[in-house]
Amino acid sequence: MSVGHTAVTTEPVVRCGDATEDCGIREVLDRIGDKWSVLVVVELARGVRRFRQLQRATPGISQRMLTLTVRRLERDGIVTRTVHPTVPPQVEYELTAVGHSLTHLVKALADWSAEHRDVIARARREWDAEHPGAGIR
Amino acid sequence: MSVGHTAVTTEPVVRCGDATEDCGIREVLDRIGDKWSVLVVVELARGVRRFRQLQRATPGISQRMLTLTVRRLERDGIVTRTVHPTVPPQVEYELTAVGHSLTHLVKALADWSAEHRDVIARARREWDAEHPGAGIR
DNA sequence: CCGGATCCTAATCGATACTG
DNA sequence: CAGTATCGATTAGGATCCGG
């Protein structure tokens, strides 16, 4: 396959004593690893958004999931929720400082994805070809 | 709450036309957003590992989940799987070049987590205090 | 417009038992 | 040792109806 990575005997880039401690990586992933959080954050990175705006900008999300998503983000201090007591009601969501710093991380994710999606797609096709009828999805 | 982030009207760090396109972020998260992948990758970042070694280094993972996890990572070209036809059987897992590059991304995750975990934990406690009996978990 | 409450389905994961 | 197979529990997520 000629991936030819330069024999790294020990280059523990991540550096935490053991996978046991999990570095806190799981915390981040529990926060943004779900189906919708990053998409909402990405949209909010473009500016203040109302509930409906967020829903329209995130095709496929249900009302329920959007509610849950923004609630969790609010709880973690990643977005603020501002209710304007008008009629009809108007609620605005906005990234906090932490939320904005998160967008940089999201950018890193997007960059990595863009950089490797082709290679990975190819590897996947090859694997699927060599393993016919493997239910690994 | 005094988060006081500097009024960012439009600083689209992420830059993809719309959350609609999702940048491919979802691809990454579908790959490493699960419960165990990153932990396995972190352990493999420290060197070549056998199946049992991975399982011992990842407390709580079941045999089944480890199998599924390494299979998916192999399929995506993130790890290689080498079977030594000895007895008892011996299978070694090793990061590919893509896998190693992923390690850097994981480090970014770990760094961000370390940098914000306290603030987030505090925000969460405050939210929970202000919203008694909210089943948001 | 915003979102809570309810019901239901599908995916995920863990435990256990068994095989080469 | 390194898996596969099966089952059950838990969870995430979608659809829908309703209320402020």
Side-chain angles (χ1 to χ4, degrees), chain B residues 59-80:
Chain B
I61 196 173
S62 64
Q63 207 170 30
R64 170 186 144 83
M65 287 316 296
L66 181 55
T67 299
L68 285 178
T69 301
V70 291
R71 278 293 171 286
R72 284 194 278 247
L73 292 176
E74 187 200 1
R75 182 165 105 107
D76 290 338
I78 291 172
V79 309
T80 58

Side-chain angles (χ1 to χ4, degrees), chain A residues 48-59:
Chain A
V48 180
R49 291 292 184 273
R50 294 176 53 182
F51 189 88
R52 278 291 180 198
Q53 287 182 305
L54 282 177
Q55 189 169 17
R56 277 190 295 267
T58 317

Side-chain angles (χ1 to χ4, degrees), chain B residues 50-135:
Chain B
R50 294 175 54 182
F51 190 87
R52 276 293 181 196
Q53 288 182 303
L54 281 178
Q55 190 169 16
R56 277 190 295 268
T58 316
I61 196 173
S62 64
Q63 207 170 30
R64 170 186 144 83
M65 287 316 296
L66 181 55
T67 299
L68 285 178
T69 301
V70 291
R71 278 293 171 286
R72 284 194 278 247
L73 292 176
E74 187 200 1
R75 182 165 105 107
D76 290 338
I78 291 172
V79 309
T80 58
R81 178 174 175 271
T82 312
V83 182
H84 295 95
T86 61
V87 45
Q90 182 170 341
V91 180
E92 287 183 336
Y93 294 92
E94 187 175 8
L95 288 185
T96 63
V98 177
H100 275 105
S101 86
L102 179 57
T103 290
H104 292 76
L105 185 60
V106 171
K107 176 170 168 41
L109 286 169
D111 289 347
W112 190 89
S113 178
E115 200 170 338
H116 299 91
R117 72 193 322 178
D118 291 351
V119 183
I120 289 177
R122 208 167 75 80
R124 192 176 281 205
R125 281 196 307 273
E126 287 177 9
W127 196 94
D128 289 345
E130 292 168 14
H131 302 257

Side-chain angles (χ1 to χ4, degrees), chain A residues 5 13 24 26-28 31 34-35 71 75-76 95 101 106 112-113 116-117 124 128 136-137, chain B residues 5 24 26-28 31 34-35 71 75-76 95 101 103 112-113 116-117 124 128 136-137:
Chain A
H5 61 90
V13 181
R26 281 248 47 84
E27 287 181 44
V28 203
R31 189 142 17 240
D34 69 295
K35 196 172 179 182
R71 277 294 170 285
R75 182 166 105 106
D76 290 337
L95 288 184
S101 87
V106 171
W112 189 91
S113 178
H116 298 92
R117 71 193 321 178
R124 190 176 283 204
D128 289 346
I136 201 177
R137 192 186 35 97
Chain B
H5 61 90
R26 281 249 47 84
E27 287 181 43
V28 202
R31 190 143 16 243
D34 69 294
K35 197 171 178 183
R71 278 293 171 286
R75 182 165 105 107
D76 290 338
L95 288 185
S101 86
T103 290
W112 190 89
S113 178
H116 299 91
R117 72 193 322 178
R124 192 176 281 205
D128 289 345
I136 201 176
R137 193 186 34 98

